[in-house]
Amino acid sequence: MSVVVIIGAQWGDEGKGKIVDLLAEKAKAVVRFSGGDNAGHTVINPYGEFKLHLVPSGIFHRGVVCVIGNGVAVNPVILLEEIENLQKHGVDTSHLFISDRAHLIMPYHTLLDGLEEERRGEGAIGTTRKGIGPVFADKIARLGIRTCDLLNKKNFRARLCQVLETKNAILTKIYSVSPLSLEEIYEQYCSYAERLAPFIRDTGPLIQDTISGKQPIILEGAQGTMLDPDFGTYPYVTSSSPTAAGSSIGSGINVKQLDHIIGVFKAYTTRVGGGPMPTELKDKIGEFIRERAHEYGATTGRPRRCGWFDAVAGRFSTQVNGFTGIALTRLDVLDALDSIKICTGYKLNGNIIKDFPGDIDILGKCQPVYEELPGWRISISDIRHYKQLPAQARQYISRLEVLLSCPVSIVSVGASRDQSIMVKQIM
Ligand code: IMP
């Protein structure tokens, strides 16, 4: 019996989808708890290759209850497309449920996300333009519309009418664009409601019954801790919490019920969008990593910024989340390198600092201090046992364990489910 939380430990795209898919065969339920379709979880398994934006990565395992939790912002168009695509590939979706407390992404959210980004000009955040900032702002401002509202047409219309008045005032008076039509949105969302109704319910009892029945649950994070609105590189962050604490809020599982918190770290660092990234490599090695690992956004196709492993950010992320274990992904990407660097501190005004700064102006001035380790120069993609890894790869992993003060539980050496080394049993 255990509740296992899978957290992005860096700036997102760490390979959480693969780790969830791998562990899900032993789970009874998988719950997505934050973000929205800004996420793109790549899963490669016998059904094919999928980029899941909203549906939990446990969907491929029959009998595993998959929940889109209250903390997720749901774009019904994207969700319906995703369900349809899964069904087309023979994947059973009858075990998918959507929390009736989850907020809906409305057409004005995506529209405003784009307009706000244009308005920021040079200072643009580089959002995915999926409406994430605006939907979570509305949630906190008490202007949101939730999936439960879809189930009651009269209430939905009244709520939409009220909110749209404010949104149209912003669209016309601030952005000088045409207002949105109440009728069009209402009709459109009523048609989505009909198709989504069978999936929407109070998912709290379903989750708590699973826990009471002592059956394992996975909480699937989206994005990464360094994109957290509180602990990330604000304002270059997302708008819901991708942390372990966020998993509790976004699922309704209380903090005492969390047993294992697994931090998913890529063996190097990537970031997509704006904001400081101390270990970014704007040279041939950065390019080499991007091309070798095909580091392009699963949702937007944007090239990801690549760099060495940042253990200062990693240690901070480990403390914020309380990781009990690490899943180290994409170690095979480093196969071809003669030597590998790890950032162990930042140089700032002639001093070495070890704490991750909260102010991005300060972070932008930090120069990485590196430690260099030898590479292994052979392919590790077919290795399935930790002891069979080359000594240099084990040395790299051990050094990360020391720097992060946390043991490595899983090593991923390729994209497929089976290209995984279980160092310690988690479930
Ligand atoms: P938003 O979440 O679309 O508002 O984007 C805010 C920031 O988070 C931008 O820098 C995005 O590139 C980044 N971001 C959002 N979702 C992901 C993700 O799934 N992986 C990596 N970066 C992301």
Side-chain angles (χ1 to χ4, degrees), residues 313-328:
R315 202 163 37 235
F316 178 59
S317 177
T318 305
Q319 283 161 2
V320 164
N321 289 291
F323 293 141
T324 56
I326 289 168
L328 188 67

Side-chain angles (χ1 to χ4, degrees), residues 320-337:
V320 164
N321 289 291
F323 293 141
T324 56
I326 289 168
L328 188 67
T329 61
R330 298 205 153 194
L331 187 63
D332 55 299
V333 169
L334 305 181
D335 281 358
L337 297 173

Side-chain angles (χ1 to χ4, degrees), residues 19 31 38 55 73 133 197 279 367 396:
I19 301 300
V31 185
N38 49 349
V55 173
T279 62
Q367 292 301 315
Y396 184 64

Side-chain angles (χ1 to χ4, degrees), residues 11-13 38-39 125-128 132-133 223 227 237-238 272-273 302:
W11 276 276
D13 309 316
N38 49 349
I125 291 165
T127 75
T128 58
I132 302 301
Q223 288 80 49
L227 290 171
V237 294
T238 190
V272 62
R302 291 179 291 176

Side-chain angles (χ1 to χ4, degrees), residues 234-251:
Y234 192 88
Y236 296 93
V237 294
T238 190
S239 301
S240 65
S241 178
T243 65
S247 78
S248 185
I249 304 266
S251 65

